[in-house]
Amino acid sequence: MDEAEKIKIIAEHYGYDSQSRQCIEEMAELTQAINKWWRVCGNGQRTEKSIAECRDNLVEEIADVQIMLWQIEYLLLSTPEVNQMITQKLNRQLERIKRE
Ligand SMILES: [Mg+2]
């Protein structure tokens, strides 16, 4: 079974209400993980955590958010639509960089 099939089964099992709330929770956890990474790198208030722990946490929270975004995309949108928007945005940003 590929990742897309697993996402479909999980998204259909729990549904949009549950997964959209879970997505919000995971985004908050990723926010914390990014902030913790800043702190472990010496920016802001010191943290007891090690660089390895913070890095592992960052990997986990990015994965959690990506999984939730894939489910929202599956339940509400269409992958080609999202991919097309990603392509447009990346191209636009590259154009801005070229003009800098
Ligand atoms: Mg999480």
Side-chain angles (χ1 to χ4, degrees):
M1 192 189 302
D2 69 8
E3 307 290 291
E5 189 63 24
K6 292 173 193 170
I7 289 294
K8 187 177 159 184
I9 292 168
I10 295 165
E12 283 176 356
H13 180 81
Y14 293 105
Y16 179 73
D17 283 8
S18 158
Q19 296 315 75
S20 58
R21 286 177 183 277
Q22 187 64 35
C23 184
I24 291 167
E25 202 171 305
E26 296 299 353
M27 290 190 295
E29 288 174 7
L30 177 56
T31 299
Q32 279 187 321
I34 291 170
N35 198 47
K36 200 71 130 190
W37 181 254
W38 272 105
R39 288 173 59 192
V40 82
C41 291
N43 300 292
Q45 196 185 5
R46 282 181 61 84
T47 172
E48 301 296 294
K49 302 248 194 244
S50 69
I51 287 191
E53 280 176 303
C54 289
R55 192 182 181 284
D56 287 349
N57 188 235
L58 199 50
V59 170
E60 182 178 343
E61 299 308 338
I62 286 173
D64 284 345
V65 169
Q66 183 61 80
I67 288 166
M68 299 318 299
L69 292 178
W70 280 334
Q71 290 180 71
I72 304 289
E73 184 180 305
Y74 169 75
L75 290 166
L76 285 193
L77 310 164
S78 79
T79 299
E81 190 184 6
V82 174
N83 287 344
Q84 195 184 353
M85 182 60 73
I86 289 169
T87 301
Q88 271 178 37
K89 285 184 175 277
L90 292 176
N91 289 341
R92 196 173 58 192
Q93 198 60 45
L94 287 175
E95 284 302 317
R96 284 186 187 129
I97 290 170
K98 248 195 265 174
R99 287 197 301 269
E100 276 175 10

